[in-house]
Amino acid sequence: MLTLGELAVLLLVGGVCAWLWHAHGVHEHALRLVRQACLREDVLLLDDNVAFRRLRLLRDRSGRLRLAREYAFEFTVTGEQRHPGRLLLLGRTPAQIELAPHPFREPATDDDHDAERVVNLDDWRRRQR
């Protein structure tokens, strides 16, 4: 039979396990959000990872105190340089995603696509024989 002290320890261990399980789910959610942000900004998420930085209380837009988790990550544009990024979650809601100043890729022009579609007639005739 369990004593009251053993039951309290068992409940405490169960609560810690539940908290860790929930935190893992929030971490996976943060990783999905960062991946989506990197796709939108046309940058590459490095190491395919977000790192938990800190846990604190912050006020949301309505003024309520919420538990805020901050995650850090790194991304690249050219593959040569690493740039830092930050995600702030209020609960499971993204409050802020910041990307450090970084260079942008030049968008592809229509001339580049047309040049790829141009076929040299002499080469085409040789291949068709």
Side-chain angles (χ1 to χ4, degrees), residues 94-105:
Q96 191 175 42
I97 297 178
E98 293 179 355
L99 300 176
H102 59 277
F104 291 95
R105 289 187 194 151

Side-chain angles (χ1 to χ4, degrees), residues 5-128:
E6 292 170 340
L7 183 61
V9 169
L10 187 62
L11 287 175
L12 181 65
V13 169
V16 169
C17 289
W19 172 262
L20 290 174
W21 183 271
H22 175 73
H24 178 70
V26 172
H27 181 269
E28 292 296 319
H29 180 65
L31 183 58
R32 278 192 302 273
L33 290 172
V34 168
R35 283 180 183 151
Q36 291 170 359
C38 286
L39 282 175
R40 272 193 314 272
E41 296 296 326
D42 195 27
V43 297
L44 178 65
L45 176 63
L46 291 174
D47 305 326
D48 202 31
N49 190 23
V50 293
F52 177 75
R53 287 291 174 230
R54 68 176 161 173
L55 187 66
R56 59 185 167 158
L57 290 175
L58 284 180
R59 295 197 182 273
D60 61 6
R61 292 182 180 173
S62 63
R64 294 183 320 168
L65 275 177
R66 303 275 309 266
L67 192 60
R69 290 177 174 89
E70 184 176 331
Y71 293 92
F73 59 94
E74 290 183 328
F75 65 95
T76 186
V77 178
T78 62
E80 296 174 2
Q81 297 175 332
R82 289 179 172 258
H83 302 284
R86 184 175 82 102
L87 168 67
L88 185 66
L89 288 178
L90 294 176
R92 291 180 63 89
T93 307
Q96 191 175 42
I97 297 178
E98 293 179 355
L99 300 176
H102 59 277
F104 291 95
R105 289 187 194 151
E106 288 192 30
T109 62
D110 290 337
D111 296 336
D112 295 338
H113 294 297
D114 291 339
E116 293 173 1
R117 291 188 293 191
V118 173
V119 175
N120 186 339
L121 188 57
D122 292 332
D123 293 338
W124 182 81
R125 285 181 181 151
R126 272 188 239 122
R127 284 191 302 245
Q128 294 301 319

